[in-house]
Amino acid sequence: MSTTTPPALVGIDFDSIPWEKWHKPGADGRVKIAYTGGRRIRLMELPAGFNEEHWCERGHQGYVLQGEFTIHFDNRSVPCRPGMGFIIPDDERHRSQGAEGEPTIVYVIDEVPAP
């Protein structure tokens, strides 16, 4: 007997996904989330000047749509602006800090199975 795995999403209609509150100390915002193929895909909006208080060790890939922020690592900081992509490897401790002036909107993908 064979089982069939449902096909992975190809198109994600973020307009049809409701915004949810997103909370991380220092970075309250909102998020739209989709899961496909063992990945979590997020459209995130964080307020101007956000400053994550806790370090993250999960890898992420993303693209900056609006706003500027800095990804802080243990030994360096990387500024990100609209039009830039980023890749953070698993187990590389990091946290983000937004610039003042406008919210940050970012598209983020990480390997997290659906709940």
Side-chain angles (χ1 to χ4, degrees):
M1 176 187 261
S2 66
T3 59
T4 306
T5 303
L9 291 174
V10 173
I12 299 169
D13 182 6
F14 279 110
D15 286 340
S16 71
I17 299 172
W19 285 106
E20 300 176 27
K21 289 184 179 183
W22 188 77
H23 173 72
K24 189 172 185 181
D28 290 341
R30 60 187 194 156
V31 63
K32 293 183 178 202
I33 304 174
Y35 293 91
T36 185
R39 291 182 178 85
R40 175 177 62 178
I41 296 89
R42 296 179 287 172
L43 182 62
M44 303 182 72
E45 181 182 68
L46 298 166
F50 75 90
N51 190 5
E52 292 179 337
E53 296 173 13
H54 295 125
W55 293 90
C56 177
E57 293 184 11
R58 179 184 309 264
H60 311 287
Q61 301 172 48
Y63 182 80
V64 184
L65 297 162
Q66 175 186 312
E68 296 188 15
F69 67 101
T70 301
I71 302 170
H72 299 290
F73 298 91
D74 285 325
N75 59 355
R76 69 190 187 289
S77 294
V78 178
C80 295
R81 64 184 184 288
M84 287 182 68
F86 57 88
I87 298 173
I88 302 169
D90 278 336
D91 300 324
E92 185 151 8
R93 196 169 94 123
H94 62 280
R95 63 182 190 82
S96 297
Q97 180 177 8
E100 295 295 333
E102 69 177 323
T104 294
I105 299 177
V106 64
Y107 176 82
V108 180
I109 300 170
D110 44 27
E111 291 189 22
V112 176

